[in-house]
Amino acid sequence: MTLAPLLAASGIIQLHVVAATAAVLFAAAQLVLPKGTPRHRICGYFFVVAMTVLAVSSFWIHTIRQFGPFSLIHLLSIITLVALPRAVLLAREGNIAGHRRAMLSLVGLALLGAGAFTLIPGRLMHAVIFGQ
């Protein structure tokens, strides 16, 4: 593991990686914390903030260009920005099953699924984790 490629990357990519790391940590905490507690809610809000920063920052990252400067991953960012407030509203409305499904989908698709693509050889996080 080497942080050199990340430290040499642009500030927006560094912000993106910090937000992704925070989102993964908060998601992991949410899976083990008791549900419905104040700690769960606070951790959940930090997760939402981290995911929002992650999704918004992606619009300034253009390493894969499929549609002008954008790629399909940017569509996932739009879906994330719509799904996050919806998931919070579901909890506030008392639809805990819907909230749980929405949050688990966000973690699975937007965080872990998209994150897996960063480990492809030639991508920055592959270089960070596995070296050049």
Side-chain angles (χ1 to χ4, degrees), residues 30-111:
Q30 288 298 72
L31 291 174
V32 298
L33 287 174
K35 310 305 180 256
T37 65
R39 190 182 326 178
H40 175 81
R41 284 186 209 101
I42 291 168
C43 190
Y45 282 117
F46 278 113
F47 171 78
V48 168
V49 168
M51 287 296 290
T52 300
V53 171
L54 182 64
V56 170
S57 66
S58 77
F59 294 109
W60 282 269
I61 299 173
H62 306 289
T63 53
I64 299 173
R65 295 170 181 255
Q66 295 171 309
F67 311 101
F70 300 107
S71 68
L72 289 176
I73 199 74
H74 294 101
L75 179 59
L76 184 56
S77 295
I78 293 168
I79 292 168
T80 298
L81 291 171
V82 171
L84 283 167
R86 176 76 178 126
V88 172
L89 282 174
L90 286 168
R92 288 187 176 179
E93 293 169 352
N95 184 348
I96 302 307
H99 169 74
R100 184 176 193 275
R101 272 191 310 276
M103 286 301 191
L104 288 174
S105 294
L106 280 165
V107 170
L109 297 173
L111 193 55

